[in-house]
Amino acid sequence: MSKVVLVLSGGGAKAVAHAGAFHALEQAGLVPSHIFATSMGSVMGAALAAGLPFDEVRHRAMGLRRKDIAPFDPRVLIMGLFSRSLFPASGLRRAIARIVPATRFAYLRMPLTVTAVDLDSGELLLLGGPEPRGRDIELADALYASCALPLFFPPLEADGRRLADGGLRAVLPIEAARTREPDADVFVAIDVGPGFDERVSTKDGPRPSPLPNVVRVHGEALRVMMADQTERVIASWPKDGPRLVYVRAVTEGEATFAVDRVQEYVEMGYQATKKALG
């Protein structure tokens, strides 16, 4: 039987497409032996690795509202540019707890490794996974750190380090997965992250955005950086290496907090993965 490693990208609300992708893999008889994930992909990966059925994961994700994840904090208006972040950590932490029932990596039924970045050193950290290689950190803290995108959420402060969104270094962590699992036969990479193929404008010009200009420009800069990062890591996949099944599941732009489209994204992940598997 082939050893399958599943790699889940970041992508905000679009990451719920990973649940649909996982469902398609299950139907094809391709049960992953290890999940590597970034940002909100880490949250979905943790729910799936905990053994939650597909319908339960989808149900939990559909119960979230934008105000749950990114509640308005009046202190931001008072502090302005001196605020640590636009949103408090508490909302994101509650959202993670509602989706992921497990509290420790050891309680997961499937090995899970998530990425985070040390903001001071720039080091890419791989959190969790099989011991002794995994770092000793609580699952909830690791998931929060992996999702803590600068500007939006404050970093996780742990052991003298400031940890933030793994997408800053590995929005689609296939290289980290290949390094950790060199004997795997197949890597299935589900990409819902930033890309140059994203629909961020119309024939009449840029699509109207409700975001403040500084937030939108920040997002555009991250999109360019992360899209280039993903293109490079896919292009560098060794031709004589294990099989890589790359699934570009969602190409919507400016959809980080589009939790009202959960069902649509789940279906996109399912259909795109079925098509990629042939």
Side-chain angles (χ1 to χ4, degrees):
M1 180 178 293
S2 296
K3 182 177 181 180
V4 180
V5 172
L6 179 60
V7 183
L8 307 177
S9 79
K14 295 178 291 182
V16 297
H18 296 321
F22 190 87
H23 189 48
L25 288 174
E26 283 185 316
Q27 289 184 337
L30 298 174
V31 179
S33 62
H34 197 149
I35 297 177
F36 287 79
T38 291
S39 197
M40 279 303 292
S42 297
V43 178
M44 300 308 298
L48 296 165
L52 285 182
F54 162 71
D55 285 335
E56 178 64 18
V57 175
R58 178 174 56 182
H59 175 72
R60 291 185 178 214
M62 289 180 67
L64 293 177
R65 297 293 180 266
R66 179 168 180 166
K67 64 180 181 180
D68 298 327
I69 303 172
F72 172 70
D73 186 350
R75 290 174 296 180
V76 173
L77 294 180
I78 298 172
M79 298 183 67
L81 294 177
F82 295 96
S83 178
R84 292 183 68 204
S85 60
L86 291 177
F87 308 116
S90 57
L92 177 56
R93 281 188 173 276
R94 284 194 298 268
I96 291 172
R98 287 177 61 178
I99 295 177
V100 182
T103 56
R104 295 179 179 273
F105 280 100
Y107 296 162
L108 300 176
R109 297 185 182 181
M110 183 183 301
L112 171 72
T113 299
V114 306
T115 67
V117 169
D118 184 321
L119 287 179
D120 297 308
S121 69
E123 178 186 2
L124 175 67
L125 305 178
L126 302 181
L127 309 177
E131 295 293 343
R133 295 179 297 178
R135 294 177 179 269
D136 185 18
I137 186 172
E138 294 292 333
L139 177 60
D141 285 343
L143 296 179
Y144 175 80
S146 189
C147 294
L149 188 64
L151 180 64
F152 293 107
F153 300 103
L156 173 74
E157 297 185 6
D159 299 325
R161 289 182 162 186
R162 297 183 304 133
L163 308 186
D165 196 304
L168 298 174
R169 286 288 306 274
V171 69
L172 183 66
I174 56 175
E175 183 57 35
R178 186 172 67 88
T179 300
R180 282 285 183 92
E181 293 284 359
D183 60 337
D185 301 298
V186 182
F187 289 80
V188 180
I190 313 299
D191 182 14
V192 299
F196 295 122
D197 58 347
E198 282 186 328
R199 296 187 291 274
V200 294
S201 63
T202 68
K203 64 180 180 179
D204 299 318
R207 186 168 57 198
S209 172
L211 300 174
N213 284 337
V214 67
V215 177
R216 181 172 51 79
V217 172
H218 171 265
E220 290 172 342
L222 285 178
R223 181 180 72 88
V224 171
M225 179 192 75
M226 293 181 180
D228 178 69
Q229 177 195 111
T230 299
E231 282 196 354
R232 288 173 181 270
V233 75
I234 293 173
S236 65
W237 191 264
K239 291 183 171 56
D240 59 347
R243 181 186 176 196
L244 173 63
V245 179
Y246 173 72
V247 182
R248 182 61 167 147
V250 184
T251 58
E252 296 291 335
E254 296 186 356
T256 299
F257 297 105
V259 293
D260 58 318
R261 301 182 64 188
V262 164
Q263 182 60 41
E264 183 180 350
Y265 292 147
V266 169
E267 183 64 18
M268 287 181 178
Y270 176 74
Q271 294 296 341
T273 304
K274 282 192 65 175
K275 181 178 181 181
L277 294 175

